[in-house]
Amino acid sequence: MSDPTTDPALGSWIPVPLESGFPIQNLPYGVFRTEGATARVGVAIGNRILDLDAVAEVGLFADYVDLPWGVFAQPSLNRYLALGRATWRVVRQRVSDLLSFDNREIRDVWGLAERVLVPMPDAELLLPIHPGDYVDFYSSLEHATNMGRMFRPDAEPLLPNWRWMPVGYHGRASTVVVSGTPVVRPRGQLKLGDAPPVTGPTGALDFELEVGFVTGPANRLGQPIPVESAEEHIFGMVLVNDWSARDVQRWEYVPLGPFLGKSFATTISPWVVDLDAVVPYRVPGPAQEPEPLPYLRQGGDRNVDLALEVAVAPAGAEPYVVTRTNFSHMYWSMAQQLAHATVNGTRVAPGDLYASGTVSGPTPDSYGSMIELAWRGTKPVGFPDGSSRVYVEDGDTVIVRGWCGGDGRPRIGFGEATGTVQPAPV
Amino acid sequence: MSDPTTDPALGSWIPVPLESGFPIQNLPYGVFRTEGATARVGVAIGNRILDLDAVAEVGLFADYVDLPWGVFAQPSLNRYLALGRATWRVVRQRVSDLLSFDNREIRDVWGLAERVLVPMPDAELLLPIHPGDYVDFYSSLEHATNMGRMFRPDAEPLLPNWRWMPVGYHGRASTVVVSGTPVVRPRGQLKLGDAPPVTGPTGALDFELEVGFVTGPANRLGQPIPVESAEEHIFGMVLVNDWSARDVQRWEYVPLGPFLGKSFATTISPWVVDLDAVVPYRVPGPAQEPEPLPYLRQGGDRNVDLALEVAVAPAGAEPYVVTRTNFSHMYWSMAQQLAHATVNGTRVAPGDLYASGTVSGPTPDSYGSMIELAWRGTKPVGFPDGSSRVYVEDGDTVIVRGWCGGDGRPRIGFGEATGTVQPAPV
């Protein structure tokens, strides 16, 4: 590893519990609030948050990087995301230095550690980005194949365009919510058998295990982002639960795609993991056949070895892991997704969210949604308390987790994206 | 008319040319900039803009309404839109009074008219809203039927869900642009016959004649907006050109709907017409059969008698009107669209944009897109210069126009939504 910020030998003067996902090699960015104070940007380290606005105020960035005034005194990362990779790198290096084991710039100034470090339990974590647009892809070969097998059993499971492009659509930006936000079971039109449709609460509330990327600097309207430089426009990654109402979606989706079956909630994790933190965990993607068109052709380590799991905790019960998979399986990479999304010159803004689509692995215990795990209701998923599920029930808490490394290497935690299902309004 | 602001007998001390769409009965809102000054909110009257920030600064609102500080010194209407109908009504009444024929509050103060009124040619009109989300519906029975007849000639033209709900999808918010913004012909994947897809400029660039509404106050996440009170969340209306690349769309759209075939540009008119200004032009909508589900059931005058036309001006030539239609034909109303979009509890924010879908009338000269007017390329549209079109060509300027009244009644102009097509990047 040539990048000193990811050196596995690096330690911090702040105690980091062994199983913490936030060692000094990670340094993910979030937005938080403490009692009586306004929202600001911080970096997670162990069980603490380094308050970057406070760090800037006491002048610890001043000799290193020229930051816009108040860039960390913001309710979202958006302004920081606009600054671009060169600035992000300097800030990351400086934060790493300040926290590294032998640095005394914070420790040796009386009261300074208390001023710039916030215990996590004292902070409310807020939505880290204000997405101007939210795009959801469909880039897992296994997931797309599973859905085709279930819904079009007599046809080729993959539609003809799937291997040629990262198929995607726009989701609703206003209902991207931070982990911990309750999810109200949505009502909608349901078409049951041959009877006319009725209005009612969804009977098929599902999760979709996804990973999203968050964009940095904008492009110019009309100017595509080439796949080779796409990662210059990607700041980092979050966990995503793309909640879905399968019955609503099935009835509404022709010919214009998902709408109300998805737009009620999309949960993301509060910490955005800098792409620079996952450099040691980059891996090649699966072979792509046919060869992608030139604007989608990407060499090198396209993917990220990111372990993922979903646990469901019924009300009052312990979380039970219902699936384990890995982001490395994805057919289309983040850079390919962004190159595709902008090939028509569309405008990308700092803080946009692009989700991967459901991450399903090759085996039935690695599928990323209940509809796949329970195979459209035909194989209920048993729980330790003797109950079973084909979809998600009221009172269930769904927990998406992810991490790189941990196998002797630093564990780069992505935190959690959780949501508890509340009953539909009467 | 019980509302004095729409009284057809009302006149203004500001000269309003006979054919102006901006008489005192209209008073649409926009955002503008003059040389050396920042963006602010104004109201169109004749050939002038009443600068509402200047009106507020000189205290002319003070005795009438308690407005948040700087609400008109904004780059968008969004903050004003959050205030709601009660405030909008007071402001509209006060602006109407200030501009009405016998009012002397501005006229009799030396230099004040020059301070608060800006000649339109001196102003740059900006995008009036910053949409957090952009939704596009598909609510013209004639358009949906035409598309079905062209693309599924052997089946029922309308899909089974169409008469049960206002079908819609999320479009891209970042590329909603104001009238006058050039539109670069987008590149994308094209699938021509049986050969593998290629990347290239669209060969089927089309317009879609639409009308959009702009939302006011937010609802609470999880709380649907009932159809009866939906118009309390709708501030006003704009003209929309939902530019479409038909070849890109045809190849990409299964199963998740339109994406890059639409996301490169959506042009809206710079003036947002207050719903209160179109009250005299409300009309019943077409009969709805089957009867809508209760959450979509709306009595009264659901629709607006709004004349619409599209003209195309080839480079260097005069605009030629290619279609004339009326917004009153729409099957699903604005209130029904908003009730449907929120039945799952999704969050609406001030400044969101909801477009109607292509407005096609019942006759072939009233269709709202080139694909319909030229019937998928089989009936080229002749132009006065001897040329013909099946889609839109480089250098063409597409002009969407709309107005209520004008037939002896005040002409409530919606202005224009125009865009000139620039060649694709090489």
Side-chain angles (χ1 to χ4, degrees), chain B residues 10 39 129 138 152 179 284 312 372 378 397 402:
Chain B
L10 204 62
I129 52 169
Y138 189 58
R152 298 180 302 276
S179 180
V312 176
E372 290 168 276
T378 60
T397 299

Side-chain angles (χ1 to χ4, degrees), chain A residues 133 161 164-165 170 172-175 187 189 197 251 254 257 260 263 293 295 340-341 344 346-347 352 354, chain B residues 133 161 164 169-170 172-175 187 189 197 251 254 256-257 260 263 293 295 340-341 344 346-347 352 354:
Chain A
D133 279 289
N161 56 13
W164 288 102
M165 64 172 72
H170 284 94
R172 188 159 188 91
S174 75
T175 49
R187 294 169 59 85
Q189 278 198 30
W251 170 231
V254 281
L260 299 179
S263 66
L293 289 167
Y295 80 96
H340 181 62
N344 68 351
T346 201
R347 188 152 44 190
D352 285 353
Y354 294 76
Chain B
D133 278 291
N161 56 13
W164 288 103
Y169 69 101
H170 284 95
R172 188 159 188 92
S174 75
T175 49
R187 295 169 59 86
Q189 278 199 30
W251 170 231
V254 281
L256 301 183
L260 299 179
S263 66
L293 289 167
Y295 80 96
H340 181 62
N344 68 352
T346 200
R347 188 151 48 187
D352 285 352
Y354 294 76

Side-chain angles (χ1 to χ4, degrees), chain B residues 28-106:
Chain B
Y29 289 71
V31 175
F32 71 101
R33 189 164 49 197
T34 48
E35 211 180 313
T38 54
R40 53 207 190 273
V41 172
V43 159
I45 177 78
N47 293 329
R48 292 185 175 77
I49 300 169
L50 181 68
D51 178 339
L52 294 191
D53 184 49
V55 171
E57 274 196 350
V58 299
L60 287 171
F61 286 126
D63 293 341
Y64 298 84
V65 56
D66 193 20
L67 293 166
W69 189 82
V71 70
F72 296 126
Q74 295 291 328
S76 81
L77 295 172
N78 287 29
R79 285 210 197 167
Y80 182 63
L81 297 176
L83 302 181
R85 177 69 59 200
T87 303
W88 305 334
R89 285 231 161 106
V90 179
V91 170
R92 178 175 168 81
Q93 181 64 61
R94 179 66 181 141
V95 168
S96 176
D97 286 347
L98 285 171
L99 297 175
S100 68
F101 196 75
D102 49 10
N103 184 291
R104 314 196 69 86
E105 291 175 81
I106 292 176

Side-chain angles (χ1 to χ4, degrees), chain A residues 159-425:
Chain A
L159 288 165
N161 56 13
W162 198 92
R163 284 180 181 271
W164 288 102
M165 64 172 72
V167 169
Y169 69 103
H170 284 94
R172 188 159 188 91
S174 75
T175 49
V176 173
V177 296
V178 72
S179 180
T181 306
V183 172
V184 177
R185 179 178 294 272
R187 294 169 59 85
Q189 278 198 30
L190 312 172
K191 179 81 168 74
L192 310 164
D194 291 334
V198 295
T199 316
T202 176
L205 182 61
D206 203 353
F207 60 77
E208 289 195 338
L209 165 58
E210 305 196 9
V211 175
F213 66 82
V214 168
T215 48
N219 59 334
R220 205 159 56 82
L221 179 61
Q223 201 63 54
I225 295 176
V227 69
E228 306 81 33
S229 55
E231 291 194 359
E232 293 303 306
H233 293 267
I234 300 177
F235 172 70
M237 299 158 72
V238 291
L239 302 173
V240 180
N241 181 349
D242 177 33
W243 299 87
S244 300
R246 300 294 179 192
D247 39 12
V248 172
Q249 187 183 345
R250 188 167 53 239
W251 170 231
E252 74 174 358
Y253 90 104
V254 281
L256 299 183
F259 184 35
L260 299 179
K262 301 276 194 175
S263 66
F264 55 97
T266 304
T267 303
I268 69 172
S269 52
W271 296 109
V272 185
V273 175
D274 192 326
L275 269 200
D276 277 346
V278 301
V279 166
Y281 307 94
R282 297 302 293 260
V283 291
Q288 294 182 317
E289 176 58 40
E291 184 179 31
L293 289 167
Y295 80 96
L296 291 172
R297 231 167 263 166
Q298 184 191 12
D301 287 343
R302 297 197 308 267
N303 281 14
V304 179
D305 178 9
L306 164 58
L308 296 166
E309 66 181 27
V310 179
V312 175
E318 289 298 303
Y320 174 65
V321 174
V322 293
T323 185
R324 290 188 172 88
T325 183
N326 196 296
F327 193 51
S328 64
H329 295 305
M330 298 305 279
Y331 190 87
W332 295 106
S333 73
M334 297 183 284
Q336 289 174 322
Q337 289 168 341
L338 192 59
H340 181 62
T342 62
V343 67
N344 68 351
T346 201
R347 188 152 44 190
V348 166
D352 285 353
L353 176 65
Y354 294 76
S356 59
T358 308
V359 183
S360 288
T363 58
D365 57 355
S366 65
Y367 295 163
S369 64
M370 285 301 293
I371 195 172
E372 291 168 274
L373 290 165
W375 206 255
R376 211 180 173 180
T378 60
K379 298 178 182 170
V381 177
F383 274 64
D385 65 0
S387 69
S388 68
R389 297 275 185 292
V390 295
Y391 289 110
V392 175
E393 298 186 1
D394 289 350
D396 284 357
T397 299
V398 178
I399 306 156
V400 176
R401 301 184 187 119
W403 62 91
C404 298
D407 42 2
R409 296 190 293 173
R411 182 180 167 103
I412 305 299
F414 279 62
E416 293 183 345
T418 77
T420 300
V421 178
Q422 297 188 339

